[in-house]
């Protein structure tokens, strides 16, 4: 008999008869599929960086050399490239008002200025331009637990938070706190988050727009406050029940809501922006971030007290300044010896005689 050639109808019918669920009963086949998926994941994870990421990395390594001309250089940059430069500048401790205002773009949806020198004036200006912002981080992030580094969190005050809430109506996630000064600012800003009604006169309340009779952070849902006190937490739970404080991500969600990636406390807000850029970009110039765990080594879950953190900060600062103190001590000793030679006649005569003896033997 002659064999008939398979047609499109017979091929499609054969494909429909395939039992794709047989992998569940066959462990070997499921294992092979998982192996293929893991190998594909490793290939994606180890893929080479794109040309754009390499160029942004080069610019980030030499960022301090082009800060003055950054406004002219970045005119044609896309919004995500500008945001990546801001993220690199924040990691290199170069982020300030001038830099962020030279890169600000109206299409930004996240803003991470944690641990930077950005002030209220800049935050207010950025809030007016970037009205579509959904997530903001103004925390003080501890990279070096040193006393001198805490001064970097004094820049944002309740005035800046008020401007942020007033202009960014889509704000969904807010991160603040992190040090005593920042916690004080957060406590003073609690009233800004509360919904309040404005007294308006009119013939009928039905003619008024909802945006005209109320103000506050109406769209705010997630609040990350690492060192929140009990009184503030109780105030938020009573007067702002819609705001979820320090949510814990779970596959099942949190109180029926899926926690967005912006509300995860274990990741930086701008990590997704620089995920394809090499970390060596912000480790140039001798700066290598050293994250010091707040837990005692060997006993996870036990947090260090504030006094212990300050003690470790003092020891770290003392270790870093030890070479400088030794150099200053040697300079003071040489200066004292010169002054003694100039003031004492006998010492001066001995020094001159020794110099003459050396020249004579020479």
């Amino acid at each position: 008999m002659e064999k008939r050639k398979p047609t499109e109808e017979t091929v499609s019918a054969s494909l429909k008869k395939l039992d794709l669920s047989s992998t569940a009963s066959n462990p070997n086949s499921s294992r092979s599929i998982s192996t293929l998926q893991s190998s594909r994941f490793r290939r994606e994870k180890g893929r080479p960086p794109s040309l754009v990421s390499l160029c942004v990395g080069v610019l980030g390594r030499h960022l301090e050399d082009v800060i003055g001309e950054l406004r002219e250089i970045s005119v044609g940059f896309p919004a995500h490239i500008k945001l990546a430069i801001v993220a690199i500048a924040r990691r290199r401790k170069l982020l300030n008002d001038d830099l962020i205002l030279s890169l600000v773009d109206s299409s930004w949806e996240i803003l991470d200025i944690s641990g930077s020198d950005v002030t209220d004036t800049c935050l207010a200006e950025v809030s007016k331009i970037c009205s579509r912002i959904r997530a903001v981080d103004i925390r003080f992030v501890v990279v070096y637990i040193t006393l001198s580094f805490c001064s970097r969190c004094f820049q944002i005050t309740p005035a800046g938070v008020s401007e942020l809430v007033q202009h960014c109506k889509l704000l969904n996630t807010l991160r603040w706190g992190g040090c005593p000064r920042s916690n004080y600012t957060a406590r003073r800003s609690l009233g800004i988050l509360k919904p309040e009604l404005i007294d308006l006169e009119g013939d009928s309340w039905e003619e008024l727009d909802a945006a005209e009779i109320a103000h506050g952070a109406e769209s705010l849902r997630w609040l990350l406050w690492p060192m929140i006190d009990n009184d503030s937490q109780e105030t938020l739970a009573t007067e702002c029940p819609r705001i979820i404080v320090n949510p814990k991500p779970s596959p099942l969600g949190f109180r029926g809501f899926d926690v967005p990636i912006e509300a995860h406390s274990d990741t930086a807000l701008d990590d997704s922006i620089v995920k394809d850029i090499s970390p060596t970009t912000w480790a140039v110039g001798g700066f290598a971030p050293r994250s010091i765990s707040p837990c005692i080594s060997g006993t996870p879950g036990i947090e260090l007290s504030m006094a212990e953190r300050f003690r470790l900060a003092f020891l770290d600062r003392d270790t870093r300044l030890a070479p400088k103190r030794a150099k200053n001590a040697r300079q003071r000793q040489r200066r004292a010896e010169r002054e003694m030679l100039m003031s004492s006649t006998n010492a001066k005569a001995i020094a001159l005689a020794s110099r003459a003896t050396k020249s004579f033997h020479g």
Side-chain angles (χ1 to χ4, degrees):
M1 294 178 62
E2 295 182 356
K3 294 184 178 180
R4 291 182 299 175
K5 294 183 178 180
T7 61
E8 293 183 0
E9 290 78 5
T10 57
V11 171
S12 59
S14 300
L15 290 176
K16 289 180 180 179
K17 292 179 181 180
L18 288 176
D19 188 8
L20 298 179
S21 62
S22 60
T23 57
S25 60
N26 189 355
N28 295 327
S29 59
S30 61
R31 190 181 300 110
S32 62
I33 291 178
S34 62
T35 305
L36 290 174
Q37 292 176 350
S38 61
S39 62
R40 186 184 301 113
F41 175 75
R42 284 195 297 269
R43 285 198 302 271
E44 292 178 356
K45 187 177 181 180
R47 70 181 186 275
S50 63
L51 181 58
V52 175
S53 301
L54 293 175
C55 293
V56 174
V58 172
L59 180 60
R61 282 192 291 271
H62 303 278
L63 192 57
E64 66 277 5
D65 299 328
V66 297
I67 285 181
E69 294 79 19
L70 196 57
R71 187 182 297 272
E72 290 77 13
I73 296 175
S74 61
V75 171
F77 286 1
H80 68 281
I81 298 297
K82 295 181 179 180
L83 200 58
I85 297 175
V86 171
I88 294 173
R90 184 184 69 83
R91 285 163 170 77
R92 295 197 56 194
K93 309 306 169 190
L94 298 174
L95 188 59
N96 53 23
D97 291 358
D98 296 334
L99 190 144
I100 196 171
L101 288 177
S102 63
L103 296 170
V104 64
D105 193 280
S106 59
S107 62
W108 285 357
E109 294 186 357
I110 66 170
L111 180 64
D112 192 340
I113 56 175
S114 56
S116 67
D117 292 327
V118 176
T119 62
D120 283 341
T121 305
C122 177
L123 181 59
E125 189 66 26
V126 173
S127 302
K128 295 176 183 177
I129 299 174
C130 308
S131 58
R132 299 168 57 185
I133 286 181
R134 298 181 294 101
V136 176
D137 192 343
I138 56 176
R139 293 182 301 173
F140 165 63
V141 179
V142 179
V143 178
Y144 291 102
I145 307 181
T146 56
L147 303 180
S148 60
F149 189 65
C150 288
S151 62
R152 301 184 66 91
C153 59
F154 291 171
Q155 307 296 330
I156 303 299
T157 66
V161 178
S162 177
E163 292 288 335
L164 176 67
V165 172
Q166 179 182 355
H167 296 287
C168 299
K169 300 299 184 181
L170 302 179
L171 185 63
N172 182 262
T173 304
L174 179 62
R175 303 181 177 195
W176 64 13
C179 78
R181 178 69 180 183
S182 294
N183 291 332
Y184 175 71
T185 301
R187 286 192 295 269
R188 291 179 57 194
S189 304
L190 284 179
I192 302 173
L193 306 183
K194 301 176 184 178
E196 296 182 3
L197 297 178
I198 305 174
D199 295 332
L200 294 176
E201 296 181 359
D203 296 336
S204 173
W205 63 270
E206 296 178 348
E207 300 175 358
L208 300 178
D209 188 9
E212 297 178 352
I213 64 174
H215 65 84
E218 294 90 358
S219 60
L220 186 63
R221 172 68 65 178
W222 312 98
L223 180 66
L224 271 68
W225 191 347
M227 301 170 62
I228 185 172
D229 57 285
N230 295 330
D231 294 338
S232 301
Q233 193 164 9
E234 184 178 355
T235 300
L236 287 171
T238 304
E239 303 186 22
C240 305
R242 72 187 185 284
I243 299 178
I244 301 176
V245 182
N246 296 330
K248 296 180 180 179
S250 172
L252 303 178
F254 187 85
R255 297 183 186 177
F257 299 97
D258 292 331
V259 181
I261 189 64
E262 293 86 0
H264 290 188
S265 59
D266 56 345
T267 58
L269 187 59
D270 55 4
D271 271 353
S272 59
I273 305 298
V274 294
K275 63 180 180 180
D276 295 331
I277 301 176
S278 174
T280 57
T281 302
W282 47 85
V284 297
F287 175 78
R290 296 180 298 159
S291 53
I292 302 178
S293 175
C295 299
I296 302 175
S297 60
T299 56
I302 302 179
E303 295 187 357
L304 297 178
S305 63
M306 185 60 65
E308 182 66 15
R309 293 187 183 183
F310 273 89
R311 187 185 71 83
L312 293 176
F314 177 79
L315 292 178
D316 183 71
R317 181 176 180 271
D318 187 71
T319 303
R320 289 186 293 105
L321 296 181
K324 186 176 181 180
R325 284 199 302 267
K327 180 181 178 181
N328 293 338
R330 291 193 297 269
Q331 290 179 350
R332 287 194 297 269
Q333 183 179 0
R334 288 194 295 267
R335 192 180 299 113
E337 292 175 355
R338 286 196 300 268
E339 291 178 356
M340 185 187 67
L341 291 176
M342 297 300 296
S343 60
S344 175
T345 306
N346 294 333
K348 188 185 299 183
I350 293 173
L352 292 175
S354 175
R355 189 179 304 171
T357 303
K358 290 180 180 180
S359 61
F360 175 76
H361 289 294

